[in-house]
């Protein structure tokens, strides 16, 4: 992946299908989220039900979340910009909130399951 924060452009330059580090870990990719705090990517796999932490060059750093114990089908991933919390959307219409642990590691804990989405102000039309 190539992420240019100045032009806000994103392009793929890593062949995930041809990379055994990825294909041994995940069978499909459902979502991707950029973590501005760590300047890294978090990739969600629906079938493998894991979140993979990667640097911006596509090198796998770790697997901070194993979601196989969740009964829901995970569908999307994002970071809440003000808190840095990781949010995962799943079926049917559920949200899970994960907070980064305070020990400095790249781990998250689920504080509320299922969680309601944060209230984001909507501009008046």
């Amino acid at each position: 992946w190539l992420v240019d924060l100045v032009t806000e452009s994103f392009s793929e330059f890593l062949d995930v299908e041809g990379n055994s580090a990825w294909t041994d870990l995940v069978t499909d990719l459902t979502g991707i989220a950029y973590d501005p705090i760590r300047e890294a990517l978090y990739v969600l796999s629906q079938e493998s039900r894991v979140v993979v932490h990667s640097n911006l060059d596509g090198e796998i750093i770790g697997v901070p979340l194993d979601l196989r114990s969740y009964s829901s089908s995970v569908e999307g991933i994002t970071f809440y910009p003000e808190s840095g919390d990781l949010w995962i959307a799943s079926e049917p219409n559920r949200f899970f909130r994960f907070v980064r642990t305070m020990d400095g590691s790249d781990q998250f804990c689920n504080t509320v399951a299922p969680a309601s989405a944060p209230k984001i102000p909507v501009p008046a039309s």
Side-chain angles (χ1 to χ4, degrees), residues 23-35:
T23 57
D24 290 348
L25 189 60
V26 295
T27 55
D28 73 317
L29 304 178
T30 304
I32 185 169
Y34 174 72
D35 178 1

Side-chain angles (χ1 to χ4, degrees), residues 59-78:
E59 178 184 341
I60 295 174
I61 297 169
V63 180
L65 284 173
D66 182 341
L67 304 167
R68 289 178 287 184
S69 64
Y70 290 77
S71 61
S72 300
S73 174
V74 293
E75 300 287 334
I77 184 171
T78 192

Side-chain angles (χ1 to χ4, degrees), residues 11-92:
S11 61
E12 177 188 4
F13 68 88
L14 173 67
D15 179 9
V16 173
E17 289 296 319
N19 185 326
S20 65
W22 282 90
T23 57
D24 290 348
L25 189 60
V26 295
T27 55
D28 73 317
L29 304 178
T30 304
I32 185 169
Y34 174 72
D35 178 1
I37 295 170
R38 296 202 183 235
E39 296 185 350
L41 300 174
Y42 288 78
V43 181
L44 177 64
S45 170
Q46 179 182 17
E47 289 179 14
S48 301
R49 298 172 72 142
V50 295
V51 173
V52 178
H53 177 197
S54 166
N55 65 20
L56 296 180
D57 292 326
E59 178 184 341
I60 295 174
I61 297 169
V63 180
L65 284 173
D66 182 341
L67 304 167
R68 289 178 287 184
S69 64
Y70 290 77
S71 61
S72 300
S73 174
V74 293
E75 300 287 334
I77 184 171
T78 192
F79 279 92
Y80 191 61
E82 292 181 12
S83 65
D85 294 349
L86 180 66
W87 287 82
I88 294 180
S90 70
E91 294 179 351

Side-chain angles (χ1 to χ4, degrees), residues 1-2 4 10 14 16 23 39 45 52 60 67 89 94-95 97 99-100 117 125:
W1 298 292
L2 177 61
D4 185 332
F10 177 86
L14 173 67
V16 173
T23 57
E39 296 185 350
S45 170
V52 178
I60 295 174
L67 304 167
R94 299 174 86 186
F95 294 93
R97 179 178 136 205
V99 177
R100 194 180 316 269
S125 53

